[in-house]
Amino acid sequence: MVRRTRAETEKTRATLLATARKVFSERGYADTSMDDLTARVGLTRGALYHHFGDKKGLLAAVVAQIDAEKDLRLQAISDTAEDAWEGFCRRCRAYLEMALEPEMQRIVLRDARAVLGGASPDSQRYCVESMRKLIDELMRQGIVEAADAQALASLIYGCLAEAACWIADGEDGPARLLRGMAALDLLLRGLQISQGGHR
């Protein structure tokens, strides 16, 4: 029996992930066969089963990879903004804009929702916690009305996640994005403390 090195094993896993990501994005999960995936990379079904369990497990791994990249992009928006409020608003808008990106649209917002039931609980918790920290800071700075930051983060994340799925699910995605952005701006304005103090 040939023993594979750790580097070879990681390379095989990375190759399967990259190939699945490309094919899922082009064809969709339902129209991608495991035989096609393994043939593209010159591997057997056994390799796929070993690393991901099955096709569903492979989809979950691809979604986790895309989600991790999305989180880094959103964090960079917050980190590079001139002020905390602008960073928060830009981050929320970027979340909706990503709904029209081919990989995000087809793999994460369509296929993952249909096959996996949506984002993983860990991913959801991470997103809500990240948003809670931002909201906490905005409240501390006197920009956002005082409220329970955890509850507010859960509400805003839920709104963004549902709106992103709505944008991704329609043939009129760009038009839906514009309508979603207008609604988001209204929601965000409602969070702010008015110039003269509390409303």
Short mmCIF file of all heavy atoms in Angstrom, two decimals, residues 13-29 32 37 40-41 52 58-59 61-70 73 101-104 106-108 111:
data_model
loop_
_atom_site.label_atom_id
_atom_site.label_comp_id
_atom_site.label_asym_id
_atom_site.label_seq_id
_atom_site.Cartn_x
_atom_site.Cartn_y
_atom_site.Cartn_z
N ARG A 13 -6.72 17.30 -1.69
CA ARG A 13 -7.92 17.93 -1.15
C ARG A 13 -8.13 19.31 -1.80
O ARG A 13 -9.25 19.65 -2.20
CB ARG A 13 -7.81 18.08 0.37
CG ARG A 13 -9.08 18.56 1.04
CD ARG A 13 -8.92 18.64 2.55
NE ARG A 13 -10.21 18.82 3.20
CZ ARG A 13 -10.86 19.98 3.28
NH1 ARG A 13 -10.31 21.06 2.77
NH2 ARG A 13 -12.03 20.05 3.88
N ALA A 14 -7.05 20.07 -1.90
CA ALA A 14 -7.14 21.41 -2.48
C ALA A 14 -7.54 21.35 -3.95
O ALA A 14 -8.33 22.17 -4.43
CB ALA A 14 -5.81 22.14 -2.33
N THR A 15 -7.04 20.35 -4.66
CA THR A 15 -7.37 20.17 -6.08
C THR A 15 -8.84 19.83 -6.26
O THR A 15 -9.52 20.38 -7.13
CB THR A 15 -6.49 19.08 -6.71
OG1 THR A 15 -5.11 19.44 -6.58
CG2 THR A 15 -6.82 18.88 -8.18
N LEU A 16 -9.34 18.92 -5.42
CA LEU A 16 -10.75 18.56 -5.47
C LEU A 16 -11.64 19.77 -5.16
O LEU A 16 -12.65 20.01 -5.83
CB LEU A 16 -11.05 17.43 -4.48
CG LEU A 16 -10.68 16.02 -4.93
CD1 LEU A 16 -10.73 15.05 -3.75
CD2 LEU A 16 -11.63 15.54 -6.04
N LEU A 17 -11.24 20.54 -4.16
CA LEU A 17 -12.00 21.73 -3.79
C LEU A 17 -12.05 22.75 -4.92
O LEU A 17 -13.12 23.27 -5.26
CB LEU A 17 -11.37 22.39 -2.56
CG LEU A 17 -11.98 22.11 -1.19
CD1 LEU A 17 -11.19 22.83 -0.11
CD2 LEU A 17 -13.45 22.52 -1.14
N ALA A 18 -10.89 23.03 -5.49
CA ALA A 18 -10.80 24.03 -6.57
C ALA A 18 -11.61 23.59 -7.78
O ALA A 18 -12.31 24.40 -8.41
CB ALA A 18 -9.35 24.26 -6.96
N THR A 19 -11.54 22.30 -8.12
CA THR A 19 -12.28 21.78 -9.27
C THR A 19 -13.78 21.83 -9.02
O THR A 19 -14.55 22.27 -9.88
CB THR A 19 -11.84 20.34 -9.59
OG1 THR A 19 -10.42 20.32 -9.80
CG2 THR A 19 -12.54 19.81 -10.82
N ALA A 20 -14.18 21.39 -7.83
CA ALA A 20 -15.61 21.41 -7.50
C ALA A 20 -16.15 22.83 -7.51
O ALA A 20 -17.25 23.08 -8.01
CB ALA A 20 -15.82 20.78 -6.12
N ARG A 21 -15.37 23.74 -6.98
CA ARG A 21 -15.79 25.14 -6.94
C ARG A 21 -16.04 25.68 -8.35
O ARG A 21 -17.04 26.35 -8.60
CB ARG A 21 -14.71 25.95 -6.23
CG ARG A 21 -15.07 27.38 -5.97
CD ARG A 21 -14.09 27.98 -4.98
NE ARG A 21 -14.21 29.42 -4.93
CZ ARG A 21 -13.63 30.19 -4.01
NH1 ARG A 21 -12.89 29.63 -3.07
NH2 ARG A 21 -13.78 31.49 -4.03
N LYS A 22 -15.16 25.35 -9.27
CA LYS A 22 -15.28 25.81 -10.65
C LYS A 22 -16.50 25.17 -11.34
O LYS A 22 -17.30 25.86 -11.97
CB LYS A 22 -14.00 25.46 -11.42
CG LYS A 22 -13.97 25.96 -12.85
CD LYS A 22 -12.61 25.68 -13.47
CE LYS A 22 -12.45 26.33 -14.84
NZ LYS A 22 -13.42 25.87 -15.83
N VAL A 23 -16.63 23.86 -11.17
CA VAL A 23 -17.72 23.15 -11.85
C VAL A 23 -19.08 23.48 -11.24
O VAL A 23 -20.06 23.68 -11.96
CB VAL A 23 -17.47 21.63 -11.83
CG1 VAL A 23 -18.60 20.88 -12.52
CG2 VAL A 23 -16.15 21.29 -12.52
N PHE A 24 -19.16 23.57 -9.91
CA PHE A 24 -20.42 23.95 -9.27
C PHE A 24 -20.85 25.33 -9.73
O PHE A 24 -22.04 25.59 -9.93
CB PHE A 24 -20.27 23.95 -7.74
CG PHE A 24 -20.20 22.58 -7.11
CD1 PHE A 24 -19.68 22.44 -5.82
CD2 PHE A 24 -20.64 21.45 -7.76
CE1 PHE A 24 -19.61 21.20 -5.21
CE2 PHE A 24 -20.57 20.19 -7.17
CZ PHE A 24 -20.05 20.07 -5.88
N SER A 25 -19.89 26.23 -9.88
CA SER A 25 -20.21 27.60 -10.30
C SER A 25 -20.72 27.63 -11.74
O SER A 25 -21.63 28.38 -12.07
CB SER A 25 -18.96 28.48 -10.18
OG SER A 25 -19.24 29.80 -10.58
N GLU A 26 -20.13 26.79 -12.59
CA GLU A 26 -20.50 26.77 -14.01
C GLU A 26 -21.79 26.00 -14.27
O GLU A 26 -22.65 26.44 -15.03
CB GLU A 26 -19.37 26.13 -14.82
CG GLU A 26 -18.11 26.97 -14.90
CD GLU A 26 -16.94 26.21 -15.51
OE1 GLU A 26 -17.08 25.00 -15.77
OE2 GLU A 26 -15.88 26.84 -15.71
N ARG A 27 -21.93 24.84 -13.62
CA ARG A 27 -23.06 23.95 -13.92
C ARG A 27 -24.13 23.89 -12.85
O ARG A 27 -25.25 23.49 -13.11
CB ARG A 27 -22.55 22.52 -14.13
CG ARG A 27 -21.63 22.34 -15.30
CD ARG A 27 -21.35 20.87 -15.44
NE ARG A 27 -20.34 20.63 -16.46
CZ ARG A 27 -19.86 19.43 -16.73
NH1 ARG A 27 -20.27 18.40 -16.06
NH2 ARG A 27 -18.94 19.28 -17.67
N GLY A 28 -23.74 24.20 -11.63
CA GLY A 28 -24.65 24.00 -10.51
C GLY A 28 -24.43 22.63 -9.89
O GLY A 28 -23.91 21.71 -10.53
N TYR A 29 -24.81 22.50 -8.65
CA TYR A 29 -24.60 21.26 -7.89
C TYR A 29 -25.33 20.08 -8.51
O TYR A 29 -24.77 19.01 -8.71
CB TYR A 29 -25.07 21.48 -6.45
CG TYR A 29 -25.00 20.26 -5.57
CD1 TYR A 29 -23.82 19.91 -4.93
CD2 TYR A 29 -26.12 19.47 -5.36
CE1 TYR A 29 -23.75 18.79 -4.10
CE2 TYR A 29 -26.07 18.35 -4.54
CZ TYR A 29 -24.88 18.02 -3.91
OH TYR A 29 -24.83 16.92 -3.10
N THR A 32 -23.81 18.42 -11.66
CA THR A 32 -22.41 17.99 -11.57
C THR A 32 -22.36 16.59 -10.99
O THR A 32 -22.87 16.34 -9.90
CB THR A 32 -21.60 18.95 -10.65
OG1 THR A 32 -21.66 20.27 -11.19
CG2 THR A 32 -20.15 18.50 -10.55
N LEU A 37 -16.33 15.11 -11.75
CA LEU A 37 -15.38 15.81 -10.88
C LEU A 37 -14.07 15.06 -10.76
O LEU A 37 -12.98 15.62 -10.91
CB LEU A 37 -15.98 16.00 -9.48
CG LEU A 37 -16.97 17.14 -9.30
CD1 LEU A 37 -17.58 17.07 -7.90
CD2 LEU A 37 -16.29 18.48 -9.49
N ARG A 40 -11.93 14.89 -13.96
CA ARG A 40 -11.24 16.15 -14.28
C ARG A 40 -9.89 16.26 -13.60
O ARG A 40 -9.00 16.93 -14.09
CB ARG A 40 -12.11 17.34 -13.88
CG ARG A 40 -13.20 17.66 -14.88
CD ARG A 40 -13.96 18.91 -14.42
NE ARG A 40 -14.99 19.28 -15.39
CZ ARG A 40 -15.09 20.48 -15.95
NH1 ARG A 40 -14.23 21.43 -15.66
NH2 ARG A 40 -16.06 20.74 -16.79
N VAL A 41 -9.79 15.66 -12.42
CA VAL A 41 -8.53 15.76 -11.67
C VAL A 41 -7.75 14.45 -11.66
O VAL A 41 -6.73 14.32 -10.98
CB VAL A 41 -8.79 16.23 -10.21
CG1 VAL A 41 -9.24 17.67 -10.21
CG2 VAL A 41 -9.79 15.34 -9.51
N PHE A 52 -14.07 14.14 1.73
CA PHE A 52 -15.30 14.90 1.97
C PHE A 52 -16.52 14.06 2.33
O PHE A 52 -17.59 14.61 2.60
CB PHE A 52 -15.62 15.75 0.73
CG PHE A 52 -14.50 16.68 0.36
CD1 PHE A 52 -13.66 16.37 -0.72
CD2 PHE A 52 -14.24 17.83 1.08
CE1 PHE A 52 -12.61 17.21 -1.07
CE2 PHE A 52 -13.20 18.68 0.74
CZ PHE A 52 -12.38 18.37 -0.34
N LEU A 58 -18.63 17.65 -0.03
CA LEU A 58 -17.77 18.47 -0.89
C LEU A 58 -18.38 19.86 -1.07
O LEU A 58 -17.68 20.88 -1.00
CB LEU A 58 -17.58 17.78 -2.24
CG LEU A 58 -16.73 18.50 -3.28
CD1 LEU A 58 -15.32 18.77 -2.75
CD2 LEU A 58 -16.65 17.67 -4.57
N LEU A 59 -19.70 19.91 -1.28
CA LEU A 59 -20.38 21.21 -1.41
C LEU A 59 -20.21 22.03 -0.13
O LEU A 59 -19.91 23.22 -0.19
CB LEU A 59 -21.86 21.00 -1.70
CG LEU A 59 -22.72 22.28 -1.75
CD1 LEU A 59 -22.28 23.20 -2.88
CD2 LEU A 59 -24.21 21.94 -1.88
N ALA A 61 -17.82 21.92 2.01
CA ALA A 61 -16.44 22.40 2.10
C ALA A 61 -16.20 23.58 1.16
O ALA A 61 -15.51 24.54 1.51
CB ALA A 61 -15.47 21.27 1.78
N VAL A 62 -16.77 23.53 -0.03
CA VAL A 62 -16.65 24.63 -0.98
C VAL A 62 -17.33 25.88 -0.42
O VAL A 62 -16.78 26.99 -0.48
CB VAL A 62 -17.27 24.26 -2.35
CG1 VAL A 62 -17.40 25.48 -3.24
CG2 VAL A 62 -16.42 23.19 -3.04
N VAL A 63 -18.51 25.71 0.14
CA VAL A 63 -19.25 26.84 0.73
C VAL A 63 -18.45 27.45 1.88
O VAL A 63 -18.35 28.68 2.00
CB VAL A 63 -20.64 26.38 1.22
CG1 VAL A 63 -21.31 27.47 2.05
CG2 VAL A 63 -21.51 26.02 0.02
N ALA A 64 -17.86 26.60 2.72
CA ALA A 64 -17.05 27.10 3.85
C ALA A 64 -15.88 27.92 3.35
O ALA A 64 -15.53 28.96 3.93
CB ALA A 64 -16.57 25.92 4.69
N GLN A 65 -15.26 27.48 2.26
CA GLN A 65 -14.12 28.20 1.69
C GLN A 65 -14.56 29.57 1.14
O GLN A 65 -13.91 30.59 1.40
CB GLN A 65 -13.50 27.37 0.56
CG GLN A 65 -12.22 27.95 0.00
CD GLN A 65 -11.64 27.07 -1.11
OE1 GLN A 65 -12.25 26.90 -2.16
NE2 GLN A 65 -10.48 26.50 -0.86
N ILE A 66 -15.66 29.60 0.42
CA ILE A 66 -16.17 30.86 -0.13
C ILE A 66 -16.60 31.80 1.00
O ILE A 66 -16.33 33.01 0.96
CB ILE A 66 -17.34 30.61 -1.11
CG1 ILE A 66 -16.86 29.82 -2.33
CG2 ILE A 66 -17.98 31.93 -1.56
CD1 ILE A 66 -17.97 29.34 -3.25
N ASP A 67 -17.26 31.25 2.01
CA ASP A 67 -17.69 32.05 3.16
C ASP A 67 -16.50 32.68 3.88
O ASP A 67 -16.55 33.84 4.30
CB ASP A 67 -18.48 31.19 4.15
CG ASP A 67 -19.97 31.14 3.83
OD1 ASP A 67 -20.44 32.00 3.04
OD2 ASP A 67 -20.67 30.25 4.35
N ALA A 68 -15.43 31.91 4.04
CA ALA A 68 -14.24 32.42 4.72
C ALA A 68 -13.63 33.59 3.94
O ALA A 68 -13.21 34.60 4.52
CB ALA A 68 -13.21 31.31 4.90
N GLU A 69 -13.60 33.46 2.62
CA GLU A 69 -13.09 34.54 1.78
C GLU A 69 -13.99 35.77 1.85
O GLU A 69 -13.52 36.91 1.90
CB GLU A 69 -12.97 34.06 0.33
CG GLU A 69 -11.89 33.01 0.14
CD GLU A 69 -11.93 32.37 -1.24
OE1 GLU A 69 -12.70 32.85 -2.10
OE2 GLU A 69 -11.19 31.39 -1.45
N LYS A 70 -15.30 35.53 1.87
CA LYS A 70 -16.27 36.63 1.99
C LYS A 70 -16.05 37.38 3.31
O LYS A 70 -16.04 38.61 3.34
CB LYS A 70 -17.69 36.07 1.95
CG LYS A 70 -18.78 37.10 2.20
CD LYS A 70 -20.08 36.42 2.60
CE LYS A 70 -19.98 35.85 4.01
NZ LYS A 70 -21.16 35.13 4.47
N ARG A 73 -13.07 39.66 3.11
CA ARG A 73 -13.36 40.83 2.28
C ARG A 73 -14.20 41.85 3.06
O ARG A 73 -13.94 43.05 3.01
CB ARG A 73 -14.11 40.41 1.01
CG ARG A 73 -13.24 39.66 0.01
CD ARG A 73 -14.08 39.02 -1.08
NE ARG A 73 -14.80 40.00 -1.87
CZ ARG A 73 -15.75 39.69 -2.75
NH1 ARG A 73 -16.08 38.42 -2.93
NH2 ARG A 73 -16.37 40.63 -3.43
N GLU A 101 -22.39 37.97 -7.55
CA GLU A 101 -21.16 37.32 -7.99
C GLU A 101 -21.47 35.85 -8.29
O GLU A 101 -22.14 35.19 -7.49
CB GLU A 101 -20.08 37.42 -6.91
CG GLU A 101 -19.64 38.85 -6.66
CD GLU A 101 -18.63 38.97 -5.52
OE1 GLU A 101 -18.21 37.93 -4.96
OE2 GLU A 101 -18.27 40.12 -5.18
N PRO A 102 -21.04 35.34 -9.46
CA PRO A 102 -21.43 33.99 -9.88
C PRO A 102 -21.26 32.89 -8.84
O PRO A 102 -22.17 32.10 -8.60
CB PRO A 102 -20.54 33.74 -11.11
CG PRO A 102 -20.32 35.10 -11.66
CD PRO A 102 -20.20 36.01 -10.46
N GLU A 103 -20.10 32.83 -8.19
CA GLU A 103 -19.88 31.78 -7.19
C GLU A 103 -20.81 31.94 -6.00
O GLU A 103 -21.40 30.98 -5.52
CB GLU A 103 -18.43 31.81 -6.69
CG GLU A 103 -17.43 31.22 -7.64
CD GLU A 103 -16.06 31.10 -7.00
OE1 GLU A 103 -15.74 31.89 -6.08
OE2 GLU A 103 -15.31 30.21 -7.41
N MET A 104 -20.91 33.15 -5.49
CA MET A 104 -21.76 33.40 -4.33
C MET A 104 -23.21 33.12 -4.68
O MET A 104 -23.94 32.48 -3.91
CB MET A 104 -21.58 34.85 -3.88
CG MET A 104 -22.27 35.18 -2.58
SD MET A 104 -21.54 34.37 -1.16
CE MET A 104 -19.96 35.21 -1.08
N ARG A 106 -24.66 31.26 -7.20
CA ARG A 106 -25.07 29.89 -7.52
C ARG A 106 -24.75 28.90 -6.42
O ARG A 106 -25.59 28.07 -6.06
CB ARG A 106 -24.39 29.46 -8.82
CG ARG A 106 -24.85 28.09 -9.30
CD ARG A 106 -24.53 27.88 -10.75
NE ARG A 106 -25.62 27.20 -11.42
CZ ARG A 106 -25.66 27.02 -12.74
NH1 ARG A 106 -24.72 27.50 -13.49
NH2 ARG A 106 -26.67 26.38 -13.28
N ILE A 107 -23.52 28.96 -5.89
CA ILE A 107 -23.09 27.94 -4.93
C ILE A 107 -23.64 28.20 -3.52
O ILE A 107 -24.23 27.32 -2.90
CB ILE A 107 -21.55 27.84 -4.88
CG1 ILE A 107 -21.01 27.45 -6.26
CG2 ILE A 107 -21.11 26.82 -3.84
CD1 ILE A 107 -19.48 27.46 -6.36
N VAL A 108 -23.43 29.42 -3.03
CA VAL A 108 -23.78 29.71 -1.63
C VAL A 108 -25.25 30.04 -1.45
O VAL A 108 -25.91 29.52 -0.55
CB VAL A 108 -22.90 30.86 -1.09
CG1 VAL A 108 -23.29 31.21 0.34
CG2 VAL A 108 -21.43 30.47 -1.16
N ASP A 111 -27.54 26.84 -4.35
CA ASP A 111 -27.33 25.41 -4.10
C ASP A 111 -27.20 25.07 -2.62
O ASP A 111 -27.79 24.10 -2.15
CB ASP A 111 -26.09 24.92 -4.86
CG ASP A 111 -26.35 24.81 -6.36
OD1 ASP A 111 -27.53 24.86 -6.76
OD2 ASP A 111 -25.38 24.69 -7.12
#
